[in-house]
Amino acid sequence: MIIQRVVLNSRPGKNGVPVAENFRLEQSTIADMVQAGQVRVKTLCLSVDPYMRCRMNEDTGSDYLRPWQLSEVADGGGIGVVEESKHHNLAKGDFVTSFTWPWQTEAILDGHLLQKLVPQLVNGRLSYFLGAAGITGLTALLGIREKGHVAAGANQTMVVSGAAGACGSLAGQIGRLEGCSRVVGIAGTDEKCSILVQEMGFDAAINYKKGDVAKQLRELCPGGVDVYFDNVGGDISDTVISQMNQNSHIILCGQISQYNKDVPYPPPLPPNIEKIQKERNITRERFLVLNYMDKQEASVLQLCQWIQEGKLKVRETVVEGLANIGAAFQSMMNGGNIGKQIVSVLK
């Protein structure tokens, strides 16, 4: 059977900026026969995420991320529909997902590696299982619960960097739902800041490309910062940390500003910021959502409930066509998307 797939065409280099041409669309084939325990699936949508930048290097810098190989199909979070099944728990027509879904139009996959989806849990919006009701939402929720130490009634202020991105836009809302009294986002355009306040329920948002971020933070967080959901690292994070309170907490979710640099993860803080962190007893521990998969089922149900109740607003940037996945990746790394970046493979 002839299919289309996307392979890694070239590496941007450890310190290079990814471009669409790092990926290549090509024709390939898959077997006509499905073996015992396997299913043939048609791909519906794929997730494009910042962590994938690390997979473009020969050394991902992480013991849990496998590098993509040149001229081999890329993979990540994906959703599809079962076309043919020889797995006892999956039938034709079932919607399924996997963290390691190949970037191709159809595939033959091992059934035990797939998770069956219930569309009704997300009001039929299957792509939400790649974002708000998937690993992205889990990262936001479990990050806040496990590392944020949020307590209802404690009058805590949360700041979220990369706040208009897939994880940040959820984290601010979840921080509020979990008990934060004030939530301030940091984003890169006036449009994003407006969406955060008017649509996502943030109290305020700062365009870091305009004005003095430190001054705006002092005005918007007069009592200091108690919880910082860090998606970006770098200068913005240094500015936030300098205004954090005694015994406050950093949720170390991502460091997108550092992904094109050859530095360890998490990147070390500058000496003056590290001194502040230690003197104020600010926690900054590496957070990996995969370490909390025992809480996955209950957490996904909580996220779905909030979505159904309208308490968790979801934004997606959808790009049509597998051929455009490289451009979607480049746009995401340049901060061009709002919410989750999704590639719709089939309309």
Side-chain angles (χ1 to χ4, degrees):
M1 178 181 295
I2 297 174
I3 62 162
Q4 286 188 316
R5 67 177 193 172
V6 171
V7 303
L8 185 65
N9 187 52
S10 60
R11 300 189 189 278
K14 283 191 174 182
N15 300 303
V17 178
V19 294
E21 290 73 24
N22 291 134
F23 300 95
R24 182 177 76 246
L25 180 71
E26 64 180 28
Q27 278 195 345
S28 185
T29 59
I30 59 173
D32 292 325
M33 297 292 293
V34 176
Q35 304 298 320
Q38 294 181 329
V39 296
R40 180 168 57 84
V41 293
K42 182 173 290 186
T43 304
L44 299 178
C45 51
L46 298 167
S47 175
V48 180
D49 302 286
Y51 81 88
M52 292 174 171
R53 171 62 185 86
C54 303
R55 301 191 66 188
M56 298 180 80
N57 296 335
E58 287 186 85
D59 180 2
T60 65
S62 171
D63 54 4
Y64 67 91
L65 285 180
R66 182 181 60 82
W68 286 329
Q69 300 300 317
L70 289 172
S71 295
E72 291 191 8
V73 66
D75 68 295
I79 289 173
V81 60
V82 175
E83 297 278 277
E84 181 182 355
S85 176
K86 290 190 177 179
H87 185 273
H88 67 280
N89 197 39
L90 296 172
K92 183 178 180 180
D94 284 346
F95 295 105
V96 291
T97 186
S98 168
F99 294 139
T100 56
W101 196 284
W103 287 7
Q104 56 193 55
T105 50
E106 296 198 35
I108 293 177
L109 304 174
D110 288 335
H112 74 278
L113 298 177
L114 300 173
Q115 180 182 355
K116 192 187 300 186
L117 300 175
V118 181
Q120 293 85 348
L121 290 176
V122 287
N123 301 323
R125 296 292 297 271
L126 280 170
S127 59
Y128 284 10
F129 284 116
L130 295 177
I135 199 72
T136 310
L138 287 171
T139 299
L141 176 58
L142 292 172
I144 289 168
R145 287 184 171 176
E146 300 297 328
K147 300 294 183 182
H149 303 276
V150 173
N155 197 32
Q156 292 165 296
T157 293
M158 171 186 278
V159 171
V160 183
S161 60
C167 200
S169 60
L170 299 172
Q173 298 179 75
I174 292 171
R176 170 84 75 199
L177 290 167
E178 290 290 286
C180 285
S181 59
R182 186 166 182 77
V183 179
V184 175
I186 302 174
T189 68
D190 289 341
E191 178 194 9
K192 290 178 178 180
C193 290
S194 176
I195 289 171
L196 290 174
V197 174
Q198 297 180 16
E199 187 175 315
M200 306 288 186
F202 284 60
D203 293 283
I206 297 169
N207 181 348
Y208 70 86
K209 296 180 180 178
K210 287 186 175 180
D212 185 332
V213 174
K215 181 175 182 290
Q216 293 178 77
L217 267 177
R218 284 192 293 272
E219 293 171 351
L220 295 173
C221 307
V225 178
D226 301 295
V227 183
Y228 173 39
F229 199 98
D230 184 5
N231 285 304
V232 302
D235 293 340
I236 290 175
S237 290
D238 296 345
T239 301
V240 176
I241 294 170
S242 68
Q243 298 190 34
M244 294 187 74
N245 293 325
Q246 193 74 26
N247 301 318
S248 54
H249 305 283
I250 298 169
I251 303 164
L252 196 58
C253 178
Q255 303 280 277
I256 195 169
S257 72
Q258 309 297 301
Y259 286 168
N260 295 327
K261 301 177 182 178
D262 186 13
V263 294
Y265 187 85
L269 297 171
N272 61 318
I273 302 300
E274 185 178 22
K275 182 180 179 183
I276 290 173
Q277 181 208 350
K278 290 181 178 179
E279 288 178 347
R280 298 182 191 172
N281 192 35
I282 303 170
T283 63
R284 183 181 185 256
E285 301 166 346
R286 183 173 183 173
F287 171 72
L288 178 60
V289 70
L290 299 178
N291 291 336
Y292 300 92
M293 285 297 96
D294 59 314
K295 301 180 180 181
Q296 176 185 6
E297 185 175 353
S299 298
V300 167
L301 289 175
Q302 174 66 85
L303 292 164
C304 290
Q305 180 181 335
W306 282 335
I307 291 169
Q308 291 175 340
E309 293 172 348
K311 294 179 179 178
L312 195 60
K313 308 295 184 182
V314 183
R315 271 273 186 160
E316 294 179 325
T317 298
V318 180
V319 173
E320 298 286 349
L322 186 63
N324 296 315
I325 199 166
F329 188 87
Q330 179 179 343
S331 175
M332 176 201 62
M333 291 302 297
N334 290 334
N337 62 301
I338 298 175
K340 183 73 175 180
Q341 180 77 71
I342 298 290
V343 173
S344 176
V345 178
L346 289 177
K347 294 183 181 181

